[in-house]
Amino acid sequence: ATLKVRLECKTCAGWVALGFPTSPGAMVGASAIIGVPGGQVSAYRLGGKSVSSVAMLDATQQAALRDKSVSTADGGVSLEFSSSLGKGIMPASLSDVDVIYASGQSAALSYHFGTRGGSRVTFHPLAAPLVMHVVVVSFTVNGDISSFAVGSTTAQQVRTRLAQLANVRVSSVNL
């Protein structure tokens, strides 16, 4: 199965990240995919809260990430990637997955201050030979998260749910 992620931050100008913590909500010890505007998308180990404790993972871990991109548009930043479950830093299963997310104020990795958050996400598998999940994450300084599996919901249902979340502006939903 494949996890396909698009993380959007409508209020960000710097790096954005999505991670998988070893303890719910905890940055330290987590692994994360970080996208740097004008730069690259890479996997990191978050060994501590200082920039010197954030280490890029080896080439084997990086190779698990596919379809990587980071872009800026409409005053925000979007990070996209896909990976097979159980490869690199990806969880082996998407049942009750803890995720963390954060953003920085510039392209240079730096402390995120209040632009961070975390949540437990439950995905619902599809009745199909190949299951592909898509995570849509939109957050503002206060942070909100929502997730959906491709084919399990309509674009209108996604728009409606996102509109229900505080501080989320729904501009488009593609399933």
Side-chain angles (χ1 to χ4, degrees):
T2 299
L3 174 68
K4 183 175 180 183
V5 174
R6 177 179 173 95
L7 181 134
E8 294 179 340
C9 180
K10 301 287 185 185
T11 59
C12 296
W15 59 266
V16 293
L18 179 70
F20 302 97
T22 54
S23 298
M27 172 192 161
V28 177
S31 297
I33 292 82
I34 301 176
V36 177
Q40 61 186 9
V41 175
S42 301
Y44 292 82
R45 175 76 57 213
L46 309 178
K49 294 186 177 184
S50 66
V51 174
S52 63
S53 298
V54 176
M56 188 179 291
L57 295 174
D58 64 35
T60 303
Q61 303 287 347
Q62 302 299 334
L65 297 175
R66 301 183 308 275
D67 309 317
K68 306 180 294 183
S69 70
V70 62
S71 59
T72 56
D74 301 324
V77 178
S78 295
L79 164 67
E80 294 186 56
F81 65 89
S82 63
S83 182
S84 297
L85 294 179
K87 301 290 183 186
I89 68 168
M90 294 301 117
S93 168
L94 292 178
S95 296
D96 296 327
V97 176
D98 289 303
V99 296
I100 56 173
Y101 52 91
S103 69
Q105 297 177 350
S106 70
L109 291 183
S110 59
Y111 187 71
H112 48 66
F113 297 98
T115 55
R116 60 168 170 72
S119 183
R120 174 159 283 192
V121 180
T122 302
F123 294 90
H124 302 282
L126 302 174
L130 175 64
V131 177
M132 180 178 282
H133 299 274
V134 174
V135 176
V136 177
V137 181
S138 297
F139 64 94
T140 64
V141 172
N142 294 328
D144 290 301
I145 188 166
S146 194
S147 62
F148 303 92
V150 172
S152 67
T153 189
T154 67
Q156 183 56 43
Q157 288 170 320
V158 173
R159 277 188 211 93
T160 300
R161 177 65 184 124
L162 288 175
Q164 292 170 350
L165 296 171
N167 298 320
V168 174
R169 185 184 85 212
V170 179
S171 56
S172 69
V173 175
N174 298 312
L175 298 178

